[in-house]
Amino acid sequence: METKILAIDDNSISLAVKLINDGELVGMPTETVYGLGASGLNPDAVKKIFTAKGRPSDNPLIAHVHKDYDITNLVHITQNYVYDLIKEFMPGPLTLVLNSKGVVCSEAVCGGDTLAVRMPSHAGCQKFLKAVNLPIVAPSANLSKHTSPTTAKYVYDDLNGKIPLILDGGKCSGGIESTVLDVTTKTPRILRAGLITKEMIESVVGRCEYASHSEGDKVRSPGVKYAHYQPRCETALYEFNDLDSAIFRYEKEVAKNKTPYIMCPTFVAENFKGKNLLLLGETELEIAFNLYDKLLEGEKKADIIIAIAMPSETGVYAGIMNRLRKSCG
Ligand code: AMP
Ligand code: MG
């Protein structure tokens, strides 16, 4: 199958809508990362997502809808604070896990009784979702385990020949996936950290906790247990306060005739003068924006990416560290 990459305009959106209605898959930009979309009402189309990605069959998909879509068509809202979250953060990089009404097919939710719902803020994606006017279920548009794509070209690199169309909406402004928040309970629980931080949710709801994914706790978000985000080269992760060990490792790799790259926030770069660097940026938002891009750049250049941890795990750093541990830990 030929895979087209088309800039978003009326023609490409018409084609995308036709493909979705015909049960095909479409790569689409969002403000976080690119998604691989299918109609959430079409079980055969949804199965194609799992096949194209090699995604484990127990890892459910997020339903994406346009900003005027009434999500109570799809889910029950049982907690009043959910309306405040919707008002504050949607459209945007927040995914809400709610009790499903069963409209989105069971293949998309892997037989579960909840549905994850998101309204992307990316203008081109909104245009497509508005035109198709269906819940579009979509995981990130990469092969399973690989780093998530932040450009149409990266989607093409992973899925060329497997899908008919990628809508090109430029480089994603967010850079890491949405925050996944379980809002079926009295206190909202973060299942996956992201750009909408615990602190931001607390400022609206007053309380919020991280779900524990330890043994014994029912796994609410199956995705968290899988290998993820991994570049196709060796990796290592060093603590922010242990830069000497990272330098020691770098020298060791050089002595083995390997090409190491250190991936770090720009504000520690002066510690690594003269070394190969993948610089992530100065602020937490810049670092999130660049993270997957630098991992994908690194896998092409480096034998090993030596990643430096963030200085803390508050705010957006929580989501960045979650991705760094899975990609490089
Ligand atoms: P991806 O689309 O690859 O970014 O992965 C979507 C993430 O959302 C995964 O971590 C899933 O496990 C999680 N997710 C999707 N639907 C649900 C749901 N109904 N309940 C809990 N987590 C979900
Ligand atoms: Mg993914």
Side-chain angles (χ1 to χ4, degrees):
M1 170 186 306
E2 188 205 349
T3 301
K4 283 191 186 136
I5 301 182
L6 297 177
I8 296 185
D9 59 19
D10 291 346
N11 290 332
S12 61
I13 286 183
S14 297
L15 176 59
V17 170
K18 181 178 182 311
L19 287 166
I20 292 289
N21 287 327
D22 288 347
E24 293 298 336
L25 308 184
V26 172
M28 62 177 193
T30 80
E31 74 279 23
T32 60
V33 302
Y34 273 72
L36 179 59
S39 165
L41 310 185
N42 183 335
D44 290 329
V46 172
K47 284 183 203 154
K48 288 182 187 174
I49 292 180
F50 287 86
T51 308
K53 281 187 58 115
R55 185 174 175 97
S57 59
D58 65 347
N59 194 4
L61 308 178
I62 296 171
H64 296 69
V65 295
H66 64 76
K67 66 178 171 31
D68 304 317
Y69 192 93
D70 181 359
I71 64 168
T72 62
N73 290 329
L74 307 178
V75 287
H76 298 281
I77 296 177
T78 56
Q79 310 293 326
N80 279 328
Y81 68 76
V82 173
Y83 297 100
D84 301 329
L85 288 173
I86 291 172
K87 197 163 161 236
E88 188 69 24
F89 299 121
M90 290 167 98
L94 178 66
T95 295
L96 299 178
V97 174
L98 291 147
N99 293 312
S100 178
K101 288 189 171 172
V103 174
V104 169
C105 66
S106 86
E107 283 74 9
V109 295
C110 306
D113 51 13
T114 58
L115 175 69
V117 186
R118 176 162 122 72
M119 280 178 193
S121 64
H122 186 287
C125 185
Q126 274 291 327
K127 224 171 145 187
F128 163 57
L129 291 171
K130 188 87 191 186
V132 75
N133 199 28
L134 285 171
I136 295 295
V137 292
S140 50
N142 50 279
L143 292 176
S144 201
K145 299 196 180 78
H146 195 214
T147 311
S148 306
T150 49
T151 65
K153 174 67 169 64
Y154 286 139
V155 179
Y156 186 87
D157 289 348
D158 265 22
L159 297 174
N160 176 24
K162 296 185 168 186
I163 60 174
L165 174 65
I166 303 164
L167 291 174
D168 188 346
K171 188 170 169 184
C172 302
S173 60
I176 60 171
E177 294 84 350
S178 62
T179 304
V180 179
L181 190 68
D182 179 356
V183 292
T184 61
T185 49
K186 235 176 130 189
T187 299
R189 300 198 312 154
I190 295 176
L191 304 180
R192 177 177 71 187
L195 293 170
I196 304 296
T197 64
K198 179 170 185 279
E199 294 82 353
M200 289 160 76
I201 295 164
E202 280 168 345
S203 76
V204 173
V205 184
R207 59 197 186 279
C208 174
E209 57 193 34
Y210 286 109
S212 94
H213 294 292
S214 55
E215 249 176 294
D217 190 32
K218 187 182 163 207
V219 176
R220 296 282 322 215
S221 194
V224 300
K225 73 185 180 205
Y226 291 110
H228 222 141
Y229 318 122
Q230 292 173 344
R232 297 193 176 109
C233 64
E234 211 186 317
T235 56
L237 178 61
Y238 287 88
E239 292 304 323
F240 185 79
N241 57 15
D242 192 17
L243 302 185
D244 286 347
S245 295
I247 292 168
F248 185 76
R249 178 65 180 270
Y250 186 100
E251 302 298 355
K252 208 170 118 186
E253 296 295 333
V254 170
K256 287 194 287 186
N257 272 327
K258 298 276 182 188
T259 304
Y261 270 75
I262 290 179
M263 187 176 78
C264 62
T266 306
F267 50 80
V268 293
E270 63 180 27
N271 295 280
F272 306 119
K273 281 208 180 87
K275 299 190 165 47
N276 299 324
L277 294 178
L278 296 161
L279 292 180
L280 291 170
E282 295 284 0
T283 66
E284 42 179 38
L285 288 180
E286 270 173 31
I287 293 169
F289 174 73
N290 289 315
L291 181 64
Y292 292 149
D293 214 34
K294 291 295 162 188
L295 286 168
L296 291 166
E297 184 187 330
E299 74 176 13
K300 294 194 176 75
K301 295 177 167 177
D303 293 314
I304 176 167
I305 296 174
I306 299 172
I308 307 299
M310 297 299 112
S312 81
E313 297 221 20
T314 57
V316 178
Y317 284 147
I320 294 168
M321 280 309 298
N322 164 277
R323 307 312 190 275
L324 265 183
R325 286 206 185 86
K326 284 172 183 266
S327 60
C328 299

